Amino acid sequence: MILINLLPHREAARKRRRENFQATMFASFLVGLLIAGGIYWWFQMQIDEQQAKNNFLQTETKKLEEQIKEIATIEEEIAALTARQKAVEDLQADRNLPVHLLTELVQQLPDGVYVTSLKQENRTVTMQGMAQSNERISEMLRNLSSNTPWLTKPELVEIVAGNVSLGAKDQRRVAAFKMNFQLMRASEVEKANAESANAANAAKAGK
């Protein structure tokens, strides 16, 4: 007996292929969606982790900036305290400057030079006096320039020739002078003496 299929088998086959294709596309879509979701989640985790690191770094940076400000403030306070301490030490050392001034003048003024006026303002000393000759004044300038560590930078302001009466018939020619010089602090003298000693030691070692 011969069986003949009269149903539209071609249409059914096409329908099955179409349904299989649609099912495959939908499955592919779902797989692609899952993969895209997984990638998005992974990148989002990376972004969140990096953002957390950035927030941590920003917090630590702010802490460091505050610490730096505190350190700068402390350094300013230390500098101010050091300056005040130095000022006090300079004032204490300067109390003995008039003694050094008078002592050095006694030692450095040559014979024939007489002081008539002495004025100190800060560390600048103005001295007026009379000398028997200009040569005496030149000798005094040399002494003040090189023979004493306490007096420095002598500057002759003026010199005027005149006469001094020592008696009814005794007239002497003199040179009236005015000069300025600087009075050194004890710390500066100590530093200069130390440098001179080091130079002397170096010269001996070189020999």
Side-chain angles (χ1 to χ4, degrees):
M1 181 177 179
I2 301 173
L3 298 177
I4 301 174
N5 186 7
L6 299 177
L7 295 175
H9 61 90
R10 292 189 179 89
E11 291 293 333
R14 281 198 294 270
K15 182 178 180 181
R16 284 195 304 272
R17 287 197 298 272
R18 185 167 56 250
E19 290 175 351
N20 291 336
F21 176 75
Q22 290 175 352
T24 302
M25 291 297 294
F26 182 72
S28 299
F29 172 76
L30 290 178
V31 172
L33 185 62
L34 289 175
I35 294 174
I39 293 174
Y40 173 80
W41 175 82
W42 185 81
F43 277 112
Q44 190 63 41
M45 290 291 293
Q46 295 295 318
I47 292 172
D48 293 341
E49 184 179 355
Q50 187 62 44
Q51 188 65 39
K53 292 180 180 178
N54 292 342
N55 293 335
F56 175 77
L57 290 176
Q58 290 177 356
T59 302
E60 294 299 317
T61 300
K62 289 181 180 179
K63 291 181 181 179
L64 288 175
E65 289 176 351
E66 292 176 357
Q67 292 176 357
I68 290 172
K69 289 180 181 179
E70 292 178 358
I71 292 173
T73 302
I74 293 173
E75 289 179 347
E76 291 177 357
E77 293 177 354
I78 292 174
L81 289 174
T82 303
R84 285 197 290 269
Q85 180 181 359
K86 187 177 184 303
V88 171
E89 291 175 352
D90 289 340
L91 287 175
Q92 291 177 347
D94 289 349
R95 292 185 302 176
N96 297 325
L97 288 183
V99 177
H100 293 297
L101 171 61
L102 296 177
T103 301
E104 292 299 320
L105 286 179
V106 170
Q107 295 177 356
Q108 303 305 328
L109 291 183
D111 294 336
V113 176
Y114 307 92
V115 176
T116 59
S117 174
L118 195 64
K119 179 181 178 181
Q120 179 183 349
E121 183 176 354
N122 295 325
R123 291 195 296 159
T124 300
V125 179
T126 300
M127 183 172 66
Q128 292 179 320
M130 292 182 294
Q132 292 179 353
S133 64
N134 293 340
E135 288 75 14
R136 300 290 186 181
I137 297 176
S138 298
E139 181 181 356
M140 177 180 61
L141 289 173
R142 287 193 299 271
N143 291 344
L144 296 180
S145 297
S146 57
N147 290 349
T148 170
W150 291 96
L151 309 179
T152 184
K153 297 180 181 179
E155 178 184 10
L156 185 62
V157 178
E158 64 178 5
I159 180 169
V160 179
N163 294 319
V164 174
S165 177
L166 300 178
K169 297 181 180 180
D170 191 1
Q171 298 286 328
R172 297 285 181 88
R173 289 285 291 182
V174 296
F177 64 88
K178 179 180 179 181
M179 65 178 302
N180 297 328
F181 55 84
Q182 299 293 318
L183 189 57
M184 302 288 285
R185 284 197 169 101
S187 58
E188 296 172 337
V189 173
E190 292 176 359
K191 182 179 178 181
N193 291 337
E195 291 177 352
S196 299
N198 292 335
N201 292 333
K204 290 180 180 179
K207 291 181 180 180

